[in-house]
Amino acid sequence: GRVAQQNLAKLRTTDSGIADPAWSPNLGYLDLIFSLAVDGTNIFVGGGSDTSPYTNRLFKVQTLGAGNVDTSWNPQIGVGDPNFDYVLALVVDGTNIFVGGAFDQVNGQPRRGVAKLSKSSAQLDLPWNPVGPLSAFPFSSITSLALAGTNLYVGGNFQGLGGLARQSLARVNTT
């Protein structure tokens, strides 16, 4: 049978791939989901809203049971501009999660397009800010992230990163 889900579903890998009827996280106003990253029994969900002025664009959801949202894990992404603030890419690394997107603030600190957060507390890693100015386009963004050792590959819509000329692809150090 069919199961009503809104914007996010957990599909079974058996039973013809039907949606798990017991798993139904409530993400409130998050009506656009662009990125997912699984970490053990949690899934990080990134996106945005075309209508909401709230700054929570990233959620931590349990993969087990009903899919409860961890409301204590609440990073503030951007300044609440529904036309600009989006989480478009996620990658998990050890105790951290790297977040890419279209935003200029994280937890009230300047961060343009990419940030490093604690998986457990959502605290921003203040010293880690390799991007600096993300330049050239008025709507520059990071749309993809890939991790290889201590290198984070960053892809998106930009012509400069950290003061260096880079056309849509760059590599930064994760430490």
Side-chain angles (χ1 to χ4, degrees):
R2 295 194 175 235
V3 176
Q5 298 281 2
Q6 183 171 346
N7 302 329
L8 184 64
K10 176 179 157 184
L11 303 180
R12 295 182 179 169
T13 57
T14 60
D15 302 327
S16 301
I18 63 171
D20 183 344
W23 195 79
S24 185
N26 180 2
L27 301 178
Y29 56 83
L30 189 70
D31 52 9
L32 302 168
I33 294 176
F34 297 113
S35 52
L36 303 171
V38 175
D39 182 52
T41 60
N42 293 306
I43 185 167
F44 294 91
V45 180
S49 173
D50 281 339
T51 58
S52 174
Y54 299 109
T55 58
N56 192 348
R57 307 287 192 233
L58 181 57
F59 293 87
K60 183 178 180 182
V61 179
Q62 294 177 350
T63 59
L64 305 174
N68 294 329
V69 175
D70 182 349
T71 56
S72 68
W73 198 86
N74 188 24
Q76 300 302 298
I77 307 293
V79 294
D81 182 347
N83 298 311
F84 180 69
D85 297 331
Y86 293 97
V87 172
L88 302 171
L90 298 169
V91 67
V92 173
D93 179 35
T95 60
N96 301 301
I97 183 164
F98 292 92
V99 180
F103 52 82
D104 57 8
Q105 263 187 58
V106 175
N107 293 345
Q109 297 296 316
R111 289 295 185 275
R112 181 74 177 179
V114 68
K116 179 180 178 182
L117 300 171
S118 163
K119 286 189 320 188
S120 61
S121 68
Q123 182 176 355
L124 178 66
D125 184 332
L126 289 173
W128 192 84
N129 189 14
V131 174
L134 189 63
S135 61
F137 300 123
F139 298 106
S140 296
S141 60
I142 303 297
T143 58
S144 57
L145 299 171
L147 188 64
T150 60
N151 293 313
L152 181 66
Y153 293 89
V154 177
N157 179 25
F158 55 88
Q159 290 182 340
L161 192 88
L164 301 174
R166 296 290 183 264
Q167 181 68 43
S168 302
L169 182 63
R171 180 180 71 193
V172 298
N173 195 296
T174 60
T175 57

mmCIF file of all heavy atoms in Angstrom, residues 27-65:
data_model
loop_
_atom_site.group_PDB
_atom_site.id
_atom_site.type_symbol
_atom_site.label_atom_id
_atom_site.label_comp_id
_atom_site.label_asym_id
_atom_site.label_seq_id
_atom_site.Cartn_x
_atom_site.Cartn_y
_atom_site.Cartn_z
ATOM 1 N N LEU A 27 9.420 17.829 10.126
ATOM 2 C CA LEU A 27 10.408 18.871 9.868
ATOM 3 C C LEU A 27 9.769 20.243 9.761
ATOM 4 O O LEU A 27 10.393 21.199 9.310
ATOM 5 C CB LEU A 27 11.200 18.545 8.602
ATOM 6 C CG LEU A 27 11.951 17.211 8.635
ATOM 7 C CD1 LEU A 27 12.662 16.979 7.321
ATOM 8 C CD2 LEU A 27 12.919 17.152 9.794
ATOM 9 N N GLY A 28 8.518 20.341 10.181
ATOM 10 C CA GLY A 28 7.845 21.632 10.225
ATOM 11 C C GLY A 28 7.773 22.297 8.874
ATOM 12 O O GLY A 28 7.276 21.741 7.913
ATOM 13 N N TYR A 29 8.329 23.476 8.779
ATOM 14 C CA TYR A 29 8.235 24.333 7.607
ATOM 15 C C TYR A 29 9.255 23.999 6.518
ATOM 16 O O TYR A 29 9.276 24.642 5.481
ATOM 17 C CB TYR A 29 8.414 25.788 8.025
ATOM 18 C CG TYR A 29 9.715 25.960 8.766
ATOM 19 C CD1 TYR A 29 10.902 26.130 8.082
ATOM 20 C CD2 TYR A 29 9.754 25.882 10.151
ATOM 21 C CE1 TYR A 29 12.102 26.228 8.748
ATOM 22 C CE2 TYR A 29 10.954 25.983 10.823
ATOM 23 C CZ TYR A 29 12.113 26.157 10.113
ATOM 24 O OH TYR A 29 13.295 26.236 10.782
ATOM 25 N N LEU A 30 10.156 23.032 6.737
ATOM 26 C CA LEU A 30 11.188 22.718 5.744
ATOM 27 C C LEU A 30 10.511 22.062 4.547
ATOM 28 O O LEU A 30 10.174 20.885 4.585
ATOM 29 C CB LEU A 30 12.254 21.800 6.333
ATOM 30 C CG LEU A 30 13.488 21.576 5.471
ATOM 31 C CD1 LEU A 30 14.321 22.860 5.405
ATOM 32 C CD2 LEU A 30 14.338 20.456 6.019
ATOM 33 N N ASP A 31 10.272 22.825 3.493
ATOM 34 C CA ASP A 31 9.519 22.286 2.370
ATOM 35 C C ASP A 31 10.384 21.947 1.154
ATOM 36 O O ASP A 31 9.881 21.448 0.160
ATOM 37 C CB ASP A 31 8.375 23.208 1.974
ATOM 38 C CG ASP A 31 8.795 24.650 1.735
ATOM 39 O OD1 ASP A 31 10.003 24.928 1.714
ATOM 40 O OD2 ASP A 31 7.906 25.491 1.578
ATOM 41 N N LEU A 32 11.685 22.186 1.237
ATOM 42 C CA LEU A 32 12.608 21.826 0.171
ATOM 43 C C LEU A 32 13.775 21.064 0.778
ATOM 44 O O LEU A 32 14.496 21.603 1.616
ATOM 45 C CB LEU A 32 13.137 23.075 -0.543
ATOM 46 C CG LEU A 32 12.093 23.994 -1.173
ATOM 47 C CD1 LEU A 32 12.734 25.311 -1.579
ATOM 48 C CD2 LEU A 32 11.445 23.313 -2.349
ATOM 49 N N ILE A 33 13.979 19.829 0.377
ATOM 50 C CA ILE A 33 15.089 19.028 0.900
ATOM 51 C C ILE A 33 16.056 18.771 -0.243
ATOM 52 O O ILE A 33 15.680 18.256 -1.290
ATOM 53 C CB ILE A 33 14.590 17.718 1.528
ATOM 54 C CG1 ILE A 33 13.759 18.061 2.761
ATOM 55 C CG2 ILE A 33 15.766 16.814 1.876
ATOM 56 C CD1 ILE A 33 13.127 16.884 3.432
ATOM 57 N N PHE A 34 17.318 19.180 -0.017
ATOM 58 C CA PHE A 34 18.345 19.059 -1.048
ATOM 59 C C PHE A 34 19.438 18.064 -0.695
ATOM 60 O O PHE A 34 20.150 17.606 -1.578
ATOM 61 C CB PHE A 34 19.012 20.419 -1.302
ATOM 62 C CG PHE A 34 18.074 21.457 -1.819
ATOM 63 C CD1 PHE A 34 17.743 22.556 -1.050
ATOM 64 C CD2 PHE A 34 17.514 21.349 -3.075
ATOM 65 C CE1 PHE A 34 16.889 23.531 -1.521
ATOM 66 C CE2 PHE A 34 16.650 22.317 -3.560
ATOM 67 C CZ PHE A 34 16.334 23.409 -2.784
ATOM 68 N N SER A 35 19.647 17.781 0.596
ATOM 69 C CA SER A 35 20.797 16.971 0.967
ATOM 70 C C SER A 35 20.495 16.079 2.164
ATOM 71 O O SER A 35 19.758 16.464 3.070
ATOM 72 C CB SER A 35 21.999 17.868 1.255
ATOM 73 O OG SER A 35 21.653 18.870 2.189
ATOM 74 N N LEU A 36 21.124 14.892 2.134
ATOM 75 C CA LEU A 36 21.000 13.922 3.213
ATOM 76 C C LEU A 36 22.375 13.331 3.490
ATOM 77 O O LEU A 36 23.154 13.100 2.567
ATOM 78 C CB LEU A 36 20.057 12.781 2.808
ATOM 79 C CG LEU A 36 18.643 13.141 2.379
ATOM 80 C CD1 LEU A 36 17.944 11.918 1.808
ATOM 81 C CD2 LEU A 36 17.869 13.697 3.551
ATOM 82 N N ALA A 37 22.666 13.072 4.757
ATOM 83 C CA ALA A 37 23.898 12.384 5.136
ATOM 84 C C ALA A 37 23.586 11.467 6.306
ATOM 85 O O ALA A 37 23.128 11.928 7.352
ATOM 86 C CB ALA A 37 24.985 13.387 5.524
ATOM 87 N N VAL A 38 23.806 10.179 6.123
ATOM 88 C CA VAL A 38 23.532 9.199 7.167
ATOM 89 C C VAL A 38 24.770 9.023 8.031
ATOM 90 O O VAL A 38 25.891 8.958 7.527
ATOM 91 C CB VAL A 38 23.110 7.846 6.555
ATOM 92 C CG1 VAL A 38 22.936 6.790 7.630
ATOM 93 C CG2 VAL A 38 21.833 8.004 5.757
ATOM 94 N N ASP A 39 24.541 8.941 9.340
ATOM 95 C CA ASP A 39 25.622 8.720 10.298
ATOM 96 C C ASP A 39 25.091 7.795 11.388
ATOM 97 O O ASP A 39 24.423 8.252 12.321
ATOM 98 C CB ASP A 39 26.079 10.047 10.898
ATOM 99 C CG ASP A 39 27.237 9.859 11.857
ATOM 100 O OD1 ASP A 39 28.235 9.232 11.459
ATOM 101 O OD2 ASP A 39 27.125 10.327 13.006
ATOM 102 N N GLY A 40 25.369 6.502 11.265
ATOM 103 C CA GLY A 40 24.880 5.537 12.253
ATOM 104 C C GLY A 40 23.361 5.512 12.287
ATOM 105 O O GLY A 40 22.713 5.251 11.281
ATOM 106 N N THR A 41 22.794 5.827 13.447
ATOM 107 C CA THR A 41 21.335 5.812 13.591
ATOM 108 C C THR A 41 20.722 7.201 13.422
ATOM 109 O O THR A 41 19.583 7.429 13.819
ATOM 110 C CB THR A 41 20.921 5.229 14.960
ATOM 111 O OG1 THR A 41 21.493 6.036 15.989
ATOM 112 C CG2 THR A 41 21.370 3.790 15.102
ATOM 113 N N ASN A 42 21.470 8.115 12.840
ATOM 114 C CA ASN A 42 20.960 9.458 12.561
ATOM 115 C C ASN A 42 21.096 9.767 11.078
ATOM 116 O O ASN A 42 21.978 9.249 10.400
ATOM 117 C CB ASN A 42 21.732 10.523 13.355
ATOM 118 C CG ASN A 42 21.482 10.410 14.836
ATOM 119 O OD1 ASN A 42 20.345 10.414 15.288
ATOM 120 N ND2 ASN A 42 22.553 10.288 15.598
ATOM 121 N N ILE A 43 20.220 10.645 10.619
ATOM 122 C CA ILE A 43 20.339 11.180 9.274
ATOM 123 C C ILE A 43 20.253 12.696 9.388
ATOM 124 O O ILE A 43 19.392 13.226 10.095
ATOM 125 C CB ILE A 43 19.271 10.614 8.319
ATOM 126 C CG1 ILE A 43 19.505 11.106 6.892
ATOM 127 C CG2 ILE A 43 17.866 10.928 8.782
ATOM 128 C CD1 ILE A 43 18.685 10.352 5.853
ATOM 129 N N PHE A 44 21.197 13.378 8.764
ATOM 130 C CA PHE A 44 21.180 14.831 8.728
ATOM 131 C C PHE A 44 20.440 15.240 7.454
ATOM 132 O O PHE A 44 20.691 14.697 6.376
ATOM 133 C CB PHE A 44 22.599 15.392 8.748
ATOM 134 C CG PHE A 44 23.309 15.108 10.037
ATOM 135 C CD1 PHE A 44 24.076 13.964 10.200
ATOM 136 C CD2 PHE A 44 23.191 15.979 11.111
ATOM 137 C CE1 PHE A 44 24.719 13.694 11.397
ATOM 138 C CE2 PHE A 44 23.830 15.717 12.316
ATOM 139 C CZ PHE A 44 24.591 14.574 12.460
ATOM 140 N N VAL A 45 19.517 16.175 7.589
ATOM 141 C CA VAL A 45 18.645 16.589 6.502
ATOM 142 C C VAL A 45 18.829 18.091 6.283
ATOM 143 O O VAL A 45 18.615 18.879 7.200
ATOM 144 C CB VAL A 45 17.164 16.293 6.837
ATOM 145 C CG1 VAL A 45 16.260 16.731 5.702
ATOM 146 C CG2 VAL A 45 16.962 14.820 7.179
ATOM 147 N N GLY A 46 19.242 18.464 5.088
ATOM 148 C CA GLY A 46 19.453 19.872 4.774
ATOM 149 C C GLY A 46 18.540 20.337 3.666
ATOM 150 O O GLY A 46 18.207 19.581 2.761
ATOM 151 N N GLY A 47 18.140 21.589 3.746
ATOM 152 C CA GLY A 47 17.263 22.132 2.715
ATOM 153 C C GLY A 47 16.977 23.588 2.937
ATOM 154 O O GLY A 47 17.844 24.360 3.348
ATOM 155 N N GLY A 48 15.738 23.961 2.709
ATOM 156 C CA GLY A 48 15.329 25.343 2.860
ATOM 157 C C GLY A 48 13.831 25.469 2.738
ATOM 158 O O GLY A 48 13.111 24.485 2.641
ATOM 159 N N SER A 49 13.383 26.697 2.733
ATOM 160 C CA SER A 49 11.962 26.976 2.618
ATOM 161 C C SER A 49 11.767 28.201 1.749
ATOM 162 O O SER A 49 12.458 29.202 1.916
ATOM 163 C CB SER A 49 11.347 27.221 3.995
ATOM 164 O OG SER A 49 10.011 27.640 3.870
ATOM 165 N N ASP A 50 10.829 28.111 0.844
ATOM 166 C CA ASP A 50 10.509 29.264 0.006
ATOM 167 C C ASP A 50 9.660 30.285 0.745
ATOM 168 O O ASP A 50 9.488 31.403 0.285
ATOM 169 C CB ASP A 50 9.744 28.822 -1.244
ATOM 170 C CG ASP A 50 10.664 28.237 -2.289
ATOM 171 O OD1 ASP A 50 11.875 28.514 -2.249
ATOM 172 O OD2 ASP A 50 10.165 27.502 -3.149
ATOM 173 N N THR A 51 9.132 29.896 1.898
ATOM 174 C CA THR A 51 8.171 30.776 2.562
ATOM 175 C C THR A 51 8.522 31.133 3.997
ATOM 176 O O THR A 51 8.020 32.106 4.528
ATOM 177 C CB THR A 51 6.782 30.114 2.578
ATOM 178 O OG1 THR A 51 6.879 28.845 3.238
ATOM 179 C CG2 THR A 51 6.271 29.910 1.165
ATOM 180 N N SER A 52 9.380 30.367 4.653
ATOM 181 C CA SER A 52 9.620 30.564 6.076
ATOM 182 C C SER A 52 10.820 31.462 6.351
ATOM 183 O O SER A 52 11.878 31.295 5.749
ATOM 184 C CB SER A 52 9.849 29.220 6.754
ATOM 185 O OG SER A 52 10.221 29.425 8.096
ATOM 186 N N PRO A 53 10.689 32.399 7.298
ATOM 187 C CA PRO A 53 11.817 33.248 7.667
ATOM 188 C C PRO A 53 12.721 32.615 8.732
ATOM 189 O O PRO A 53 13.662 33.240 9.172
ATOM 190 C CB PRO A 53 11.127 34.489 8.222
ATOM 191 C CG PRO A 53 9.878 33.956 8.848
ATOM 192 C CD PRO A 53 9.439 32.820 7.948
ATOM 193 N N TYR A 54 12.458 31.384 9.151
ATOM 194 C CA TYR A 54 13.260 30.763 10.201
ATOM 195 C C TYR A 54 14.622 30.347 9.661
ATOM 196 O O TYR A 54 14.789 30.116 8.467
ATOM 197 C CB TYR A 54 12.529 29.575 10.806
ATOM 198 C CG TYR A 54 11.228 29.980 11.439
ATOM 199 C CD1 TYR A 54 10.017 29.640 10.869
ATOM 200 C CD2 TYR A 54 11.220 30.748 12.599
ATOM 201 C CE1 TYR A 54 8.823 30.031 11.437
ATOM 202 C CE2 TYR A 54 10.026 31.152 13.173
ATOM 203 C CZ TYR A 54 8.838 30.800 12.590
ATOM 204 O OH TYR A 54 7.663 31.195 13.156
ATOM 205 N N THR A 55 15.601 30.223 10.559
ATOM 206 C CA THR A 55 16.967 29.952 10.126
ATOM 207 C C THR A 55 17.398 28.511 10.332
ATOM 208 O O THR A 55 18.547 28.199 10.090
ATOM 209 C CB THR A 55 17.961 30.881 10.853
ATOM 210 O OG1 THR A 55 17.817 30.691 12.252
ATOM 211 C CG2 THR A 55 17.735 32.325 10.472
ATOM 212 N N ASN A 56 16.517 27.618 10.766
ATOM 213 C CA ASN A 56 16.908 26.227 10.883
ATOM 214 C C ASN A 56 16.680 25.537 9.547
ATOM 215 O O ASN A 56 15.554 25.235 9.175
ATOM 216 C CB ASN A 56 16.129 25.521 11.999
ATOM 217 C CG ASN A 56 16.736 24.164 12.304
ATOM 218 O OD1 ASN A 56 17.567 23.678 11.561
ATOM 219 N ND2 ASN A 56 16.339 23.574 13.388
ATOM 220 N N ARG A 57 17.775 25.306 8.841
ATOM 221 C CA ARG A 57 17.727 24.657 7.537
ATOM 222 C C ARG A 57 18.377 23.285 7.583
ATOM 223 O O ARG A 57 18.598 22.665 6.559
ATOM 224 C CB ARG A 57 18.475 25.506 6.503
ATOM 225 C CG ARG A 57 18.030 26.934 6.428
ATOM 226 C CD ARG A 57 16.680 27.021 5.770
ATOM 227 N NE ARG A 57 16.362 28.389 5.430
ATOM 228 C CZ ARG A 57 15.239 28.981 5.804
ATOM 229 N NH1 ARG A 57 14.369 28.352 6.523
ATOM 230 N NH2 ARG A 57 14.990 30.211 5.427
ATOM 231 N N LEU A 58 18.729 22.837 8.776
ATOM 232 C CA LEU A 58 19.452 21.586 8.935
ATOM 233 C C LEU A 58 18.926 20.865 10.166
ATOM 234 O O LEU A 58 18.838 21.460 11.243
ATOM 235 C CB LEU A 58 20.951 21.889 9.077
ATOM 236 C CG LEU A 58 21.918 20.743 9.228
ATOM 237 C CD1 LEU A 58 21.818 19.764 8.061
ATOM 238 C CD2 LEU A 58 23.340 21.275 9.343
ATOM 239 N N PHE A 59 18.553 19.604 9.988
ATOM 240 C CA PHE A 59 17.975 18.818 11.070
ATOM 241 C C PHE A 59 18.740 17.521 11.271
ATOM 242 O O PHE A 59 19.345 16.996 10.340
ATOM 243 C CB PHE A 59 16.512 18.460 10.752
ATOM 244 C CG PHE A 59 15.595 19.647 10.726
ATOM 245 C CD1 PHE A 59 15.435 20.390 9.569
ATOM 246 C CD2 PHE A 59 14.887 20.010 11.851
ATOM 247 C CE1 PHE A 59 14.585 21.484 9.537
ATOM 248 C CE2 PHE A 59 14.037 21.095 11.835
ATOM 249 C CZ PHE A 59 13.884 21.831 10.669
ATOM 250 N N LYS A 60 18.666 16.987 12.486
ATOM 251 C CA LYS A 60 19.223 15.689 12.830
ATOM 252 C C LYS A 60 18.041 14.800 13.216
ATOM 253 O O LYS A 60 17.309 15.102 14.152
ATOM 254 C CB LYS A 60 20.201 15.845 13.995
ATOM 255 C CG LYS A 60 20.921 14.593 14.412
ATOM 256 C CD LYS A 60 21.884 14.962 15.552
ATOM 257 C CE LYS A 60 22.663 13.828 16.071
ATOM 258 N NZ LYS A 60 23.535 14.245 17.200
ATOM 259 N N VAL A 61 17.852 13.716 12.466
ATOM 260 C CA VAL A 61 16.681 12.860 12.616
ATOM 261 C C VAL A 61 17.144 11.433 12.898
ATOM 262 O O VAL A 61 18.105 10.960 12.279
ATOM 263 C CB VAL A 61 15.840 12.884 11.316
ATOM 264 C CG1 VAL A 61 14.629 11.979 11.432
ATOM 265 C CG2 VAL A 61 15.418 14.306 10.962
ATOM 266 N N GLN A 62 16.456 10.745 13.792
ATOM 267 C CA GLN A 62 16.761 9.339 14.072
ATOM 268 C C GLN A 62 16.258 8.478 12.922
ATOM 269 O O GLN A 62 15.158 8.684 12.411
ATOM 270 C CB GLN A 62 16.118 8.900 15.376
ATOM 271 C CG GLN A 62 16.682 9.582 16.588
ATOM 272 C CD GLN A 62 15.962 9.170 17.861
ATOM 273 O OE1 GLN A 62 14.936 8.527 17.849
ATOM 274 N NE2 GLN A 62 16.539 9.570 18.984
ATOM 275 N N THR A 63 17.070 7.519 12.520
ATOM 276 C CA THR A 63 16.657 6.622 11.444
ATOM 277 C C THR A 63 15.776 5.496 11.957
ATOM 278 O O THR A 63 15.128 4.814 11.177
ATOM 279 C CB THR A 63 17.874 6.012 10.723
ATOM 280 O OG1 THR A 63 18.662 5.293 11.668
ATOM 281 C CG2 THR A 63 18.702 7.090 10.041
ATOM 282 N N LEU A 64 15.760 5.278 13.268
ATOM 283 C CA LEU A 64 14.976 4.202 13.871
ATOM 284 C C LEU A 64 13.631 4.715 14.355
ATOM 285 O O LEU A 64 13.435 5.914 14.527
ATOM 286 C CB LEU A 64 15.751 3.583 15.036
ATOM 287 C CG LEU A 64 17.153 3.070 14.710
ATOM 288 C CD1 LEU A 64 17.862 2.612 15.958
ATOM 289 C CD2 LEU A 64 17.087 1.959 13.673
ATOM 290 N N GLY A 65 12.722 3.795 14.611
ATOM 291 C CA GLY A 65 11.428 4.160 15.192
ATOM 292 C C GLY A 65 10.642 5.092 14.296
ATOM 293 O O GLY A 65 10.558 4.916 13.089
#
